[in-house]
């Protein structure tokens, strides 16, 4: 039952918030309460998997491998907790007057639907069920894109739809072929079936299809164009949730499938994945360097950071996986914090374009410090959490004698620093080009500041005391690429 | 049977790819939904065409006596059809709204979310 809670709690909250759509305050209250319960359930689940290991639930009273199986282990439990933290944070932030773009009655149901879909994708151990959750993610994100009236939202939604739909269909085709070849859809069943010598020749083709689909979903080079075309039209809290989570779910699934199910694949896959990862890092960071709009800079940085996560999958060892999961936790928190800070900057300075704003440092020193911590964490300056993530990743690439990958990952860090310094100099340091001194009240930004403060504190604690999280991710990923489920 | 289905899948996929690479908004939508239909057929074919007998058991039976049609792929295809139908409806409404606002169904005219730069060196400013 506990394993089902990351699905049931948000789904139930979504239903309740639909019923309450005419009573905005009540709806908001129930919505935040639902997210808080989700976080409690997620923490309980993490505690449970920590002591009992893998928990599996086979639905529909069918024996395995025919039933749809949901599995919580340390890895998925950690991801569910991060999802719940982000969900709660975003909903609390939504109560402030930072860039929340008004409150449509369908916003809360869609946000909870998205949380449920992400929870399902994290927990499922069935390939077709995974497809259903990805479709649900797609439809809720589309809903969140168009819920805000306006031509550019619809246009962004269309671009998002066309490319992601293609990815989902590719995924479904791969699922069908794998089922046709092995007769299995369950992860453990598939992991056994693909080891059969007579299937060795056919499986890599379908795995390549599956990988391409998830690379599209994860916004990897050269399939990331849907992301910078659509994300920046969203208001800050929704953007923080979607930008923080969705692409990472793609990488998470890739890590899980490659490390747990399709363990023994040709070396060329990992070689290719490594270079795709490097190309993703570089193209993302260069795209960010060109832009002056805060949202677009940060959206391109999502692409760049996805490269690091893919590099972790390409290294294909438990140590690489551990570094990747650590980096993912850090990155989700840092990215969400930066988007939320951008929302406060928009409310305080009046614009997202860095050429138009300035003077935020003397006017809002607290915001400046929060940005500094989150931004430097994204760059990876010691002793921030990003430093440890990159350190572990680059260390593992050097151990495997992948000097080019590790070296380029470090070089991309310098370019990330360029973007963050650009935001710092233009947004915070230079005087306001309009000559105005910002004196607007911050009275209704309290909850927004509180959420950002909590996220930044989490980043700081992870950076200053990374040992527990590293130990946790080491334990969570120890079984990857070992050819046996825990 | 398999060969026939294979042939029709490849024709539908070719048509779908042609349509979805078009610049016309509605052709893209129709193309993608045709691609969905083709892939539903792939799922169906993955279950093999062993028998046309419906997979129904009498109450006393534990397993079917003779070969029956694969019920799993039917369930999968049904799920996929429901989902893709919902997405098709959404995309059509979205396309109609876009067409009404832009006054054109040419995707090259869609620059509201990503405006064209007014200066070769500097990126464009976005509205809030």
């Amino acid at each position: 039952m506990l394993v089902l809670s990351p699905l049931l709690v948000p789904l139930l909250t979504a239903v309740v918030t639909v019923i309450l759509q005419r009573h905005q305050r009540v709806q908001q209250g129930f919505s935040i309460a639902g997210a808080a319960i989700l976080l409690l359930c997620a923490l309980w689940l993490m505690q449970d998997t920590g002591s009992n290991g893998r928990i599996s639930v086979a639905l529909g009273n069918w024996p395995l491998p025919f039933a749809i199986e949901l599995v919580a282990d340390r890895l998925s439990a950690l991801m569910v907790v991060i999802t719940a933290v982000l969900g709660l944070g975003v909903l609390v932030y939504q109560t402030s007057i930072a860039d929340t773009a008004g409150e449509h009655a369908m916003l809360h149901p869609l946000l909870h639907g998205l949380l449920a879909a992400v929870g399902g994708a994290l927990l499922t151990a069935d390939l077709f069920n995974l497809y259903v959750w990805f479709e649900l993610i797609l439809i809720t994100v589309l809903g969140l894109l168009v819920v805000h009236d306006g031509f550019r939202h619809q246009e962004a939604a269309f671009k998002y739809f066309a490319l992601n739909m293609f990815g989902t269909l590719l995924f479904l085709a791969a699922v069908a072929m794998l089922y046709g070849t092995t007769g299995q859809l369950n992860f453990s069943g598939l992991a056994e079936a693909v080891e059969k010598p007579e299937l060795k020749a056919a499986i890599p083709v379908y795995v390549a299809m599956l990988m391409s689909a998830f690379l599209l979903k994860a916004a990897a080079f050269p399939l990331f164009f849907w992301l910078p075309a659509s994300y920046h039209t969203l208001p800050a809290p929704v953007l923080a949730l979607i930008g923080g989570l969705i692409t990472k779910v793609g990488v998470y699934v890739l890590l899980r499938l490659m490390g747990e199910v399709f363990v023994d694949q040709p070396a060329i896959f990992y070689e290719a994945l490594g270079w795709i990862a490097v190309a993703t890092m570089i193209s993302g960071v260069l795209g960010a360097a060109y832009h002056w709009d805060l949202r677009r800079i940060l959206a391109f940085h999502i692409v760049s950071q996805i490269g690091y996560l893919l590099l972790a999958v390409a290294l294909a060892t438990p140590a690489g996986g551990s570094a990747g999961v650590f980096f993912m936790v850090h990155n989700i928190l840092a990215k969400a914090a930066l988007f939320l800070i951008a929302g406060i900057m928009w409310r305080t300075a009046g614009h997202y374009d860095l050429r138009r704003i300035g003077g935020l440092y003397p006017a809002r020193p607290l915001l400046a410090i929060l940005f500094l911590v989150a931004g430097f964490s994204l760059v990876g300056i010691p002793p921030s959490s990003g430093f440890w993530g990159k350190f572990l990743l680059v260390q593992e690439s050097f151990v495997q004698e992948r000097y080019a990958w590790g070296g380029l990952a470090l070089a991309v860090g310098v370019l990330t620093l360029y973007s963050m310094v650009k935001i710092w100099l233009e947004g915070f340091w230079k005087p306001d080009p309009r000559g105005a001194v910002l004196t607007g009240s911050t009275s209704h930004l309290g909850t927004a500041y509180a959420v950002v403060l909590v996220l930044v504190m989490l980043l700081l604690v992870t950076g200053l005391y990374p040992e527990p999280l590293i130990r946790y991710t080491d334990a969570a990923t120890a079984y990857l690429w070992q050819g046996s489920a825990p | 049977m398999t060969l026939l289905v294979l042939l029709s899948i490849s024709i539908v996929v070719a048509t779908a790819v042609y349509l979805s690479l078009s610049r016309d908004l509605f052709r893209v939508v129709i193309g993608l939904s045709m691609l969905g239909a083709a892939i539903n057929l792939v799922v169906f074919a993955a279950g093999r065409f062993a028998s046309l007998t419906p997979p129904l058991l009498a109450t006393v039976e534990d397993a079917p006596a003779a070969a029956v049609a694969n019920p799993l792929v039917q369930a999968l295809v049904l799920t996929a059809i429901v989902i893709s139908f919902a997405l098709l409806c959404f995309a059509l409404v979205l396309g109609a709204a876009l067409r009404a606002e832009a006054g054109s169904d040419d995707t090259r005219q869609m620059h509201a979310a990503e405006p064209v730069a007014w200066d070769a060196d500097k990126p464009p400013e976005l509205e809030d």
Side-chain angles (χ1 to χ4, degrees):
Chain A
M1 200 56 199
L2 188 59
V3 180
L4 291 178
S5 63
L7 312 179
L8 294 183
V9 173
L11 280 178
L12 201 67
T13 317
V15 172
V16 172
T17 45
V18 169
I19 296 169
L20 293 173
Q21 56 176 302
R22 286 171 195 283
H23 313 278
Q24 205 191 17
R25 304 301 292 178
V26 190
Q27 186 198 37
Q28 208 168 43
F30 270 92
S31 174
I32 291 174
I37 295 170
L38 175 64
L39 180 58
L40 288 178
C41 288
L43 286 171
W44 189 10
L45 186 67
M46 182 152 93
Q47 201 259 332
D48 218 34
T49 52
S51 46
N52 301 334
R54 192 173 184 271
I55 312 171
S56 148
V57 174
L59 295 176
N61 205 17
W62 287 89
L64 287 174
F66 304 108
I68 292 174
E69 191 188 12
L70 292 179
V71 171
D73 56 11
R74 289 195 178 86
L75 182 54
S76 49
L78 177 66
M79 291 299 291
V80 169
V81 169
I82 293 291
T83 308
V85 168
L86 216 54
L88 183 61
V90 160
L91 286 168
V92 173
Y93 186 97
Q94 185 73 32
T95 60
S96 75
I97 58 158
D99 181 20
T100 49
E103 196 145 305
H104 193 276
M106 276 299 133
L107 182 76
H108 288 280
L110 282 168
L111 281 175
H112 283 283
L114 182 63
L115 289 177
V118 170
L122 295 175
L123 290 172
T124 187
D126 183 281
L127 212 50
F128 189 80
N129 196 232
L130 186 65
Y131 156 76
V132 175
W133 293 119
F134 264 92
E135 287 282 31
L136 198 56
I137 292 178
L138 175 60
I139 196 83
T140 45
V141 172
L142 286 173
L144 287 167
L145 275 164
V146 296
V147 90
H148 305 287
D149 235 8
F151 185 36
R152 66 203 175 95
H153 296 118
Q154 293 163 2
E155 193 192 294
F158 188 78
K159 291 172 182 169
Y160 188 95
F161 163 79
L163 286 169
N164 272 282
M165 188 68 195
F166 184 78
T168 316
L169 290 173
L170 192 62
F171 175 29
L172 182 61
V175 172
M177 299 313 283
L178 280 167
Y179 171 72
T181 316
T182 63
Q184 300 282 353
L185 286 170
N186 183 274
F187 282 3
S188 338
L190 268 172
E192 261 172 51
V194 295
E195 290 303 312
K196 285 182 192 151
E198 70 267 25
L199 298 179
K200 281 275 180 195
I203 296 296
V205 181
Y206 310 138
V207 175
M209 276 167 87
L210 214 55
M211 278 171 79
S212 317
F214 285 114
L215 286 176
L216 195 157
K217 294 273 170 194
F221 178 85
L223 305 169
F224 62 78
F225 293 101
W226 54 270
L227 190 150
S230 57
Y231 272 20
H232 62 274
T233 61
L234 290 163
V238 181
L239 181 55
L241 187 66
I242 291 180
L245 271 181
I246 305 307
T247 47
K248 276 71 170 185
V249 176
V251 181
Y252 163 88
V253 171
L254 200 60
L255 180 72
R256 184 140 267 218
L257 289 178
M258 297 303 283
E260 187 181 313
V261 184
F262 307 106
V263 179
D264 188 23
Q265 294 301 316
I268 180 90
F269 280 17
Y270 293 102
E271 189 76 32
L273 199 58
W275 288 108
I276 288 172
V278 170
T280 310
M281 282 177 212
I282 295 173
S283 48
V285 86
L286 289 181
Y290 168 74
H291 280 288
W292 286 81
D293 188 282
L294 268 173
R295 292 163 300 182
R296 301 209 76 179
I297 294 175
L298 293 173
F300 267 105
H301 273 295
I302 298 176
V303 177
S304 174
Q305 308 291 321
I306 284 298
Y308 287 92
L309 296 170
L310 290 175
L311 184 59
V313 183
L315 292 172
T317 53
S322 171
V325 175
F326 185 95
F327 196 90
M328 203 179 306
V329 171
H330 137 76
N331 191 235
I332 290 175
L333 293 174
K335 201 85 244 175
L338 282 171
F339 278 125
L340 295 179
I341 290 170
I344 302 180
M345 285 170 77
W346 174 82
R347 170 57 67 188
T348 316
H351 215 280
Y352 275 115
D353 199 299
L354 288 171
R355 289 166 293 195
R356 289 200 177 186
I357 63 174
L360 275 166
Y361 175 69
R364 299 283 182 274
L366 174 64
L367 186 64
I369 291 167
L370 290 174
F371 171 77
L372 212 57
V373 177
F376 277 13
S377 206
L378 194 75
V379 180
I381 288 178
S384 65
S385 57
F387 168 73
W388 295 109
K390 282 188 186 172
F391 171 74
L392 293 169
L393 206 55
V394 172
Q395 187 191 31
E396 179 61 17
S397 359
F398 285 169
V399 166
Q400 293 192 21
E401 298 182 349
R402 298 289 196 176
Y403 298 111
W405 295 355
L408 284 166
L410 288 175
V412 168
V414 179
L415 287 166
T416 313
L417 181 65
Y418 167 77
S419 276
M420 291 302 126
V421 169
K422 177 157 117 185
I423 298 178
W424 174 257
L425 287 179
E426 297 289 330
F428 289 94
W429 205 249
K430 80 162 188 241
D432 195 323
R434 295 160 296 188
V437 182
L438 300 166
T439 50
S441 101
T442 51
S443 56
H444 292 289
L445 284 171
T447 48
Y449 271 104
V451 170
V452 175
L453 197 64
V454 169
L455 291 179
V456 167
M457 287 309 279
L458 283 174
L459 282 175
L460 264 183
V461 171
T462 324
L464 294 174
Y465 188 44
E467 192 67 27
L469 184 59
I470 293 179
R471 230 182 296 131
Y472 186 94
T473 57
D474 275 347
T477 58
Y479 72 94
L480 294 176
W481 285 286
Q482 302 301 306
S484 61
Chain B
M1 179 70 178
T2 313
L3 201 66
L4 193 68
V5 173
L6 184 75
L7 200 65
S8 39
I9 290 172
S10 36
I11 293 171
V12 178
V13 167
T15 320
V17 169
Y18 174 77
L19 283 175
S20 40
L21 290 176
S22 156
R23 294 199 178 99
D24 185 294
L25 207 71
F26 285 101
R27 285 191 179 201
V28 175
V29 175
I30 301 297
L32 283 172
S33 72
M34 277 180 77
L35 192 61
I39 291 185
N40 286 344
L41 274 178
V42 175
V43 179
F44 198 59
R48 307 294 190 276
F49 305 105
S51 162
L52 291 174
T53 321
L56 297 173
L57 294 181
T59 37
V60 288
E61 282 180 317
D62 268 344
V68 292
N70 187 340
L72 181 69
V73 285
Q74 298 184 16
L76 301 188
V77 168
L78 197 60
T79 315
I81 288 174
V82 172
I83 295 174
S84 57
F85 186 68
L87 277 169
L88 172 65
C89 293
F90 176 85
L92 284 174
V93 173
L94 184 65
L98 275 174
R99 205 200 130 121
E101 271 192 73
S104 138
D105 48 13
D106 188 345
T107 44
R108 278 175 302 182
Q109 307 298 324
M110 302 199 330
H111 290 303
E114 294 173 289
V116 185
W118 38 266
D119 182 326
D121 299 327
K122 291 180 187 146
E125 285 187 24
L126 307 175
E127 53 180 311
D128 283 324

